[in-house]
Amino acid sequence: MKVANDINYLVEWLIQSGALVALVLFAWKFVKPWLDAKASHANTERAKASWSLLEQIANISVTALVGQNMTGKDKFDLAVKHVLQAMQSHGSTVSQAVVEDVVQSAYEQSSLTPTVVPGNDSQPAQGTVAAIDPKEAK
């Protein structure tokens, strides 16, 4: 019984003296930055996963349209449309300009699309041109 009274007295003292509030505020000063760092890290990981998914979908879309009997502009527009739809179905909102940049990058990186202009020997070999990284372009 004495132990229960001592614990009761200690809790009452912590509450009445304001020591409990000071302890909570002191702990919050250390916990809040840690929680903010965790949230920031989670957002970064989510953005990385979203960007990786965007690049994969663009590559798949470009590869699927290479053999189609369409003009280059039509293939590009259809690839952009497919990528936008796929990203929306996965719950990610991406602007059309970003999707266009990623699809253009996928076309440039694809070994299936020709990068050599016939009759122009100064052009690099097919599939050897490094694409512009959309992450660095803006």
Side-chain angles (χ1 to χ4, degrees), residues 6 33 44 52 63 65 87 100 109 131-132:
D6 288 345
T44 302
S52 176
T63 303
L65 293 173
M87 290 304 288
E100 288 173 356
Q109 291 175 351
I132 298 170

Side-chain angles (χ1 to χ4, degrees), residues 6-29:
D6 288 345
I7 292 174
N8 216 6
Y9 175 75
L10 180 64
V11 171
E12 277 186 42
W13 179 83
L14 284 172
I15 293 171
Q16 290 177 358
S17 69
L20 187 62
V21 172
L23 184 66
V24 168
L25 289 175
F26 183 74
W28 183 247
K29 291 284 186 182

Side-chain angles (χ1 to χ4, degrees), residues 56-77:
Q56 289 174 3
I57 292 171
N59 287 331
I60 290 168
S61 184
V62 165
T63 303
L65 293 173
V66 166
Q68 299 291 325
N69 191 16
M70 302 166 71
T71 65
K73 173 97 172 95
D74 291 339
K75 287 181 188 179
F76 182 81
D77 291 341

Side-chain angles (χ1 to χ4, degrees), residues 80-135:
V80 168
K81 179 182 169 190
H82 286 165
V83 171
L84 277 172
Q85 288 175 348
M87 290 304 288
Q88 287 174 352
S89 71
H90 285 284
S92 295
T93 305
V94 183
S95 71
Q96 179 145 354
V98 170
V99 172
E100 288 173 356
D101 289 344
V102 172
V103 169
Q104 180 63 37
S105 175
Y107 270 116
E108 291 173 1
Q109 291 175 351
S110 173
S111 62
L112 302 172
T113 56
T115 57
V116 177
V117 176
N120 187 354
D121 294 335
S122 66
Q123 293 288 326
Q126 179 177 352
T128 61
V129 175
I132 298 170
D133 187 0
K135 296 175 201 168

